Amino acid sequence: MEDLIIFVILFVSSYLIGRYKEKRHFADIIRREKELLALPALTMKQTEEYPVAEAKLVTGNVVIAGDYFKQIMASLASFFGMRLSVAESMMDRARREAVLRMKEQATGADAILNVRLQSMKIGQRSTITGVEVMACGTAIYYAK
Amino acid sequence: MKFEPRYAEENVNVSEQNPLLDFVRLSLLLLGILFGVYLVLGFAAEKIAERLPPNVEAALADSFAEQLDYKAFPRTRTYLQQVLNQLADNSHLSGFHWQVSVQDSPEINAVALPGGHIVVFTGLLATVKSENELAMVLAHELGHYAHRDHLRGLGRGLVLLSITAALGISGDLPSFIIPSLQTFSLKYSREQEAAADLFALDVVAQTYGHVGGALDLFQLFAQQEQKDSHIPAFFSTHPDAVWRLQAARKHIRQNNYAQAAVKALPRAGKLPFPNDVQKLDGDGQPLP
């Protein structure tokens, strides 16, 4: 019985806190994405038109934790093999945050080329303690 | 052409689902599947276990019989065995030589194991006040043999164990899944306990000519259950003492079983008998 009470408390509080945090993070991501919209992050390797004056490596790295609720959902969904929407939102947050951080590092750049994203799960076996996403690219400055 | 950045407002990478609804849907589905598997496999295992011939059952019992201590509390054990033999003679049961052993444990419980091995815990013996109460306890265990509950429980237990093991391998599932399966199996065992009670009443009435005192112990448990919010271990496998007591009373009325004075416990009048230890010789070997 005690186990069940602890489970319900953990489950509900983790769901509510997790939802709230996620909502706030998404709002923050959207605001910053709009601010940095003028700086394109591209997967192409070189520009055709302009001469490049300077190029440098920029990286953005983020780790997002998977809460208790997400872990439970993940184990349930893994039993049936279905879309895991709680993990989708976690991955989406991590990817976009990583790209944003990369863009923030490229101060004054005209574009970021050859952008690559890498993700990694943090946690033992089937548990998801968190996900790490790293974005890296080449920030270029055109010759004026 | 000039570069014109545009912002995509819609997020295509995250499914628009309420995760809480998903959780409820999946949990119910999983529980449904598990209950189904448990019902079907449990029923099959029960039917197979029920039909185990006595020699197979005896072979099964050999695997654990060594762990039962038939030398503990020798005088108490002999007395229990006498009472049990009387009951068995009056019950028309066949198949085994029933053996009772006393286990030193505060648990208020007794168990019927395959192969005719009955184990009574000292915690239960300490609450027994008359021979009739004791006879009721032992006859109740005989009832489990009569209905082959000890084997049916084994079959179901095996299925439950397999399901739990399979779930354990497949990942860390929510902790409420397995307890809810076990609750179901408890509810199922309530019926078996009540059936064993009725069998025990018949045997006690046959042996002593009346059922006086037989229900005293159950009455005590029922009273305790009503006033105790903290449930003792006995009820975890023997639930709803009040419900069982009512069923037993109804059975007594229907069969017009007589009530008469109880037979007192021999010697000190309490169980297990005081100073009931095995006498050892100089080499630590038990004296005959």
Side-chain angles (χ1 to χ4, degrees):
Chain A
M1 197 61 204
E2 287 91 356
D3 284 0
L4 197 68
I5 293 170
I6 292 172
F7 170 77
V8 170
I9 291 173
L10 275 177
F11 186 80
V12 172
S13 58
S14 132
Y15 173 74
L16 292 176
I17 296 170
R19 280 287 265 200
Y20 173 71
K21 285 269 180 197
E22 189 160 282
K23 237 178 163 165
R24 280 227 332 220
H25 191 201
F26 266 124
D28 183 52
I29 286 174
I30 289 169
R31 184 183 57 78
R32 282 153 67 210
E33 273 179 349
K34 284 179 177 166
E35 274 172 21
L36 290 164
L37 200 56
L39 172 62
L42 312 166
T43 53
M44 55 208 262
K45 289 198 171 162
Q46 55 214 24
T47 52
E48 299 90 14
E49 293 167 41
Y50 305 107
V52 173
E54 194 196 333
K56 71 168 187 184
L57 174 75
V58 281
T59 58
N61 192 50
V62 68
V63 179
I64 305 248
D67 55 42
Y68 187 70
F69 175 78
K70 287 193 162 81
Q71 309 233 5
I72 299 276
M73 270 310 286
S75 59
L76 259 183
S78 74
F79 196 82
F80 294 102
M82 52 174 287
R83 260 183 324 182
L84 194 51
S85 64
V86 288
E88 280 175 358
S89 67
M90 200 161 81
M91 291 304 295
D92 192 54
R93 275 163 70 195
R95 269 192 310 264
R96 288 162 73 175
E97 179 69 38
V99 170
L100 278 171
R101 288 184 183 182
M102 179 187 69
K103 283 188 176 182
E104 280 159 4
Q105 207 186 42
T107 40
D110 294 303
I112 303 173
L113 300 185
N114 199 14
V115 171
R116 295 285 182 270
L117 288 166
Q118 256 181 2
S119 61
M120 192 179 87
K121 189 190 84 171
I122 295 174
Q124 281 183 313
R125 257 185 356 117
S126 52
T127 56
I128 315 169
T129 311
V131 286
E132 185 200 25
V133 172
M134 190 191 73
C136 63
T138 309
I140 51 164
Y141 300 80
Y142 299 133
K144 296 281 160 15
Chain B
M1 203 177 90
K2 197 170 173 319
F3 168 62
E4 256 181 58
R6 268 178 302 244
Y7 191 74
E9 292 288 344
E10 201 192 342
N11 189 354
V12 292
N13 287 327
V14 180
S15 318
E16 284 291 319
Q17 280 166 307
N18 186 340
L20 209 55
L21 271 178
D22 257 7
F23 172 77
V24 173
R25 203 166 50 88
L26 288 185
S27 305
L28 289 181
L29 190 60
L30 182 61
L31 270 180
I33 291 172
L34 289 182
F35 274 131
V37 170
Y38 177 67
L39 271 183
V40 173
L41 280 186
F43 184 76
E46 192 184 297
K47 288 290 156 213
I48 293 168
E50 251 179 51
R51 283 165 178 71
L52 275 187
N55 57 338
V56 175
E57 193 185 329
L60 203 70
D62 282 344
S63 61
F64 63 80
E66 286 166 14
Q67 291 164 27
L68 299 175
D69 189 3
Y70 278 101
K71 294 197 185 80
F73 300 95
R75 282 184 292 141
T76 311
R77 200 201 79 76
T78 314
Y79 169 61
L80 293 187
Q81 188 70 50
Q82 276 168 11
V83 176
L84 179 67
N85 288 348
Q86 259 183 17
L87 292 165
D89 290 343
N90 283 296
S91 66
H92 314 292
L93 275 174
S94 65
F96 292 111
H97 171 60
W98 321 99
Q99 279 180 300
V100 63
S101 68
V102 180
Q103 178 108 29
D104 194 7
S105 157
E107 259 181 88
I108 304 182
N109 209 347
V111 284
L113 298 171
H117 298 278
I118 297 175
V119 181
V120 185
F121 296 115
T122 47
L124 177 62
L125 287 179
T127 56
V128 168
K129 299 223 166 35
S130 69
E131 184 176 314
N132 304 64
E133 286 177 33
L134 177 68
M136 186 65 191
V137 170
L138 293 173
H140 174 94
E141 300 307 323
L142 281 181
H144 282 315
Y145 289 106
H147 304 138
R148 316 273 296 161
D149 292 337
H150 61 304
L151 291 177
R152 278 155 54 172
L154 206 69
R156 282 200 174 261
L158 204 63
V159 171
L160 193 60
L161 203 70
S162 321
I163 294 179
T164 340
L167 288 183
I169 291 163
S170 76
D172 335 57
L173 278 168
S175 47
F176 66 88
I177 298 268
I178 288 157
S180 45
L181 271 181
Q182 278 160 352
T183 313
F184 180 74
S185 124
L186 267 186
K187 191 166 167 51
Y188 172 82
S189 84
R190 187 176 89 158
E191 315 284 328
Q192 294 186 338
E193 296 301 332
D197 283 348
L198 303 191
F199 176 90
L201 279 175
D202 292 340
V203 173
V204 167
Q206 182 83 24
T207 313
Y208 293 88
H210 65 88
V211 292
L215 291 181
D216 287 359
L217 197 61
F218 292 83
Q219 219 150 355
L220 191 78
F221 291 145
Q223 278 166 7
Q224 249 178 29
E225 189 181 58
Q226 272 182 330
K227 71 178 173 203
D228 273 11
S229 54
H230 191 77
I231 298 163
F234 183 81
F235 300 119
S236 54
T237 48
H238 295 64
D240 301 275
V242 180
W243 184 81
R244 278 170 62 191
L245 191 64
Q246 280 166 354
R249 285 210 181 109
K250 196 174 154 207
H251 188 72
I252 291 174
R253 267 201 311 278
Q254 279 171 350
N255 290 281
N256 288 322
Y257 285 144
Q259 296 281 343
V262 296
K263 194 172 167 187
L265 291 170
R267 293 191 186 125
K270 75 177 205 201
L271 286 171
F273 297 137
N275 300 320
D276 191 6
V277 282
Q278 209 173 348
K279 291 198 175 59
L280 302 176
D281 64 12
D283 303 325
Q285 294 299 313
L287 287 171

